[in-house]
Amino acid sequence: MPSFDVHRARAQFPSLESGFLFADNAGGSQIAQEVIDRLTDYIINTNAQLGATYSLSRTSTQRVLVEAPQEATKLFNAKSPNEIVFGSSSTLNLENLARSLEKDIKAGDEFIITGEHEANVGPWKKLASRTGAVIKYWKARPTEESNPYSIALKVEDALSLVSSRTRIIAFTACSNILGSIVPVKDVVKALRAQVRAMGAPKVEISVDCVAYAPHRLIDVQDWDVNFAVLSYYKVYGPHISALYVRETSLEQSVSSLVHHFIDVDASPSYKLQPGGPGYELVYATTGVIQYLRSLTSANDLKASFEAIAEHEQTLLKPLLEFLTAPAQWERGVRIVGQSTVDLSRVPTVSFVVVGPKALRSRDIVKAFDEKETIGIRNGHVYAYTLLNDLDPKIDMDDGVVRISLVHYNTVNEVLRIIDVLKEVLSA
């Protein structure tokens, strides 16, 4: 297993020098110095419009239209930079994708979607309403008899929804609430076999990798998916998103959203970039791969993510052990999602406090806010449908308490979080 030095990693994040404990990383990570350097370099040295013939524009064009897609290709393991689309957010990227598919959808087509983050749910619901397609929900369900909130997606539930009319299947690679990792390759393989058995003529699969990308390595080719999306601002980069669209889908399913006079034949992914994203942000994303590779001596993405996964288990273990201890169970603490510590989940932990001594999630977060040195959050965090389906119901305005850690967090920081939780839960 490759070695990982958390202190060396932390040294590459100037914001961590303040001592503030960032534990809302699923909402947005901190930005690595490699990324900051490229952001400022672009603004200072190559801040020019693309596509002109003068030298500065040529350099800018190279950085934005060539280098950035090439680096994003590595993060997705896409086949070609022509399969990469940049947009201001994953929500916008998927909304544009859904709009571009409108001419390829027929009334009666069926979409199988989960209740996870609305970014990979809402666009398909709206597309269905515009085209007469039908929505089928692949719902998470409890996995532990003692805890009704121990929900997870089960592939057999998705398989039961497949029919000859299935057209789109959209699910998450990792839940931003549950922290659980979906075995994408195995799920897609089972779904495609079921699709063939049911005789569905054309099915495209969309995977939300936003909560997955900071923790595990994406491989869209090995997964055999048509669409995948990530948010760079949750993978140590700037506030921008990248969308993968398989080349065949770009050619056969996607209609252009850009100005009618723009020739998209040479770069089909441009079909999905009306107006274009922020140039400086696009170029800054090229620093993410460099940062990730620097995490181990192997200078290799696979090795880096293996090291990240190992370190994150050391963060997850004390937090989950505390929250699932008998004393906390008696107090009414219930993990929302999987309560075990293993590589099938990431250190994003959500919980509620129920029963006779119930606590509002916002009051728990308030105790952290009053310390003014730790950031966590509460709410539905855009996984509204997932949480609204919980039984017993929770207050959707209050939601869950979510603590989300990444590899630059330390065990000592986890212990600081636990100390505050002890104060709140013993009150």
Side-chain angles (χ1 to χ4, degrees):
M1 182 69 69
S3 61
F4 177 73
D5 184 345
V6 65
H7 301 293
R8 182 170 179 271
R10 288 176 66 83
Q12 299 185 61
F13 291 89
S15 59
L16 300 184
E17 295 176 6
S18 69
F20 189 87
L21 200 172
F22 295 94
D24 183 28
N25 296 288
S29 67
Q30 297 307 294
I31 302 178
Q33 187 65 57
E34 284 272 8
V35 176
I36 296 169
D37 290 344
R38 289 161 198 251
L39 181 66
T40 55
D41 179 37
Y42 182 91
I43 292 171
I44 294 170
N45 298 310
T46 60
N47 190 26
Q49 185 56 270
L50 309 184
T53 55
Y54 56 89
S55 60
L56 205 61
S57 176
R58 293 200 304 272
T59 302
S60 182
T61 302
Q62 173 72 17
R63 287 180 159 191
V64 175
L65 298 186
V66 178
E67 295 176 27
Q70 285 175 343
E71 293 299 291
T73 299
K74 299 171 187 174
L75 200 53
F76 282 109
N77 192 32
K79 186 173 70 173
S80 165
N82 288 332
E83 297 176 315
I84 302 301
V85 177
F86 288 100
S88 62
S89 69
S90 291
T91 299
L92 180 63
N93 261 336
L94 287 167
E95 183 65 38
N96 282 343
L97 173 64
R99 286 175 56 215
S100 76
L101 295 175
E102 194 163 320
K103 294 178 181 178
D104 204 56
I105 302 298
K106 304 183 300 294
D109 282 351
E110 295 176 353
F111 300 167
I112 298 172
I113 64 174
T114 65
E116 301 282 350
H117 196 292
E118 197 69 13
N120 196 31
V121 176
W124 306 116
K125 290 190 290 189
K126 287 179 278 189
L127 177 59
S129 70
R130 294 194 299 268
T131 60
V134 176
I135 293 293
K136 290 183 172 181
Y137 283 99
W138 175 13
K139 293 189 176 184
R141 55 185 167 94
T143 60
E144 303 168 16
E145 288 186 12
S146 60
N147 181 10
Y149 301 129
S150 62
I151 58 173
L153 294 172
K154 298 295 182 181
V155 66
E156 56 266 31
D157 297 335
L159 296 178
S160 69
L161 300 174
V162 176
S163 79
S164 61
R165 291 181 172 270
T166 301
R167 175 63 182 83
I168 297 288
I169 303 174
F171 63 94
T172 183
C174 179
S175 171
N176 77 319
I177 289 283
L178 312 176
S180 51
I181 293 175
V182 175
V184 177
K185 182 178 180 178
D186 293 339
V187 168
V188 172
K189 183 178 180 180
L191 285 169
R192 292 210 183 274
Q194 185 74 347
V195 162
R196 288 192 296 271
M198 299 302 293
K202 181 179 183 178
V203 175
E204 292 174 302
I205 297 178
S206 174
V207 180
D208 175 2
C209 297
V210 173
Y212 181 95
H215 309 283
R216 301 289 191 274
L217 188 60
I218 301 168
D219 193 336
V220 293
Q221 293 189 74
D222 189 48
W223 291 353
D224 187 22
V225 298
N226 301 85
F227 316 122
V229 69
L230 64 85
S231 294
Y232 270 104
Y233 64 95
K234 299 179 184 184
V235 197
Y236 325 113
H239 200 291
I240 196 169
S241 165
L243 171 70
Y244 159 79
V245 183
R246 182 182 280 177
E247 193 171 27
T248 53
S249 293
L250 280 168
E251 294 170 353
Q252 300 169 16
S253 303
V254 170
S255 296
S256 178
L257 301 179
V258 299
H259 300 308
H260 66 90
F261 50 81
I262 294 177
D263 180 9
V264 295
D265 290 340
S267 181
S269 63
Y270 202 77
K271 291 179 177 180
L272 292 166
Q273 296 184 105
Y279 302 154
E280 69 279 8
L281 301 178
V282 173
Y283 177 63
T285 65
T286 62
V288 170
I289 290 281
Q290 301 305 314
Y291 164 70
L292 289 170
R293 281 180 166 166
S294 76
L295 292 176
T296 67
S297 58
N299 194 34
D300 173 75
L301 273 181
K302 185 175 184 291
S304 293
F305 276 101
E306 288 175 353
I308 284 171
E310 181 185 35
H311 173 67
E312 288 183 343
Q313 295 301 298
T314 69
L315 304 177
L316 184 59
K317 189 172 187 288
L319 181 59
L320 270 183
E321 284 182 347
F322 170 77
L323 289 171
T324 58
Q328 305 314 326
W329 181 269
E330 291 297 322
R331 179 67 177 79
V333 175
R334 299 291 182 269
I335 299 296
V336 180
Q338 174 184 331
S339 59
T340 54
V341 180
D342 57 51
L343 291 172
S344 67
R345 65 137 45 241
V346 303
T348 295
V349 178
S350 299
F351 67 92
V352 291
V353 182
V354 299
K357 298 180 180 180
L359 282 173
R360 295 187 304 175
S361 295
R362 65 170 64 94
D363 289 337
I364 297 172
V365 171
K366 182 181 178 183
F368 281 84
D369 292 344
E370 288 172 349
K371 302 291 182 183
E372 297 188 341
T373 56
I374 304 175
I376 67 170
R377 75 182 308 165
N378 73 285
H380 58 72
V381 289
Y382 295 93
Y384 188 96
T385 302
L386 178 78
L387 292 182
N388 197 43
D389 283 343
L390 291 178
D391 185 19
K393 293 289 186 182
I394 65 169
D395 178 356
M396 290 301 292
D397 290 332
D398 194 44
V400 299
V401 177
R402 187 181 73 178
I403 299 168
S404 50
L405 307 171
V406 290
H407 69 273
Y408 55 59
N409 291 118
T410 66
V411 172
N412 283 338
E413 288 184 322
V414 176
L415 297 179
R416 284 173 59 192
I417 291 169
I418 291 172
D419 285 341
V420 181
L421 289 173
K422 286 178 179 177
E423 292 178 20
V424 179
L425 296 174
S426 64

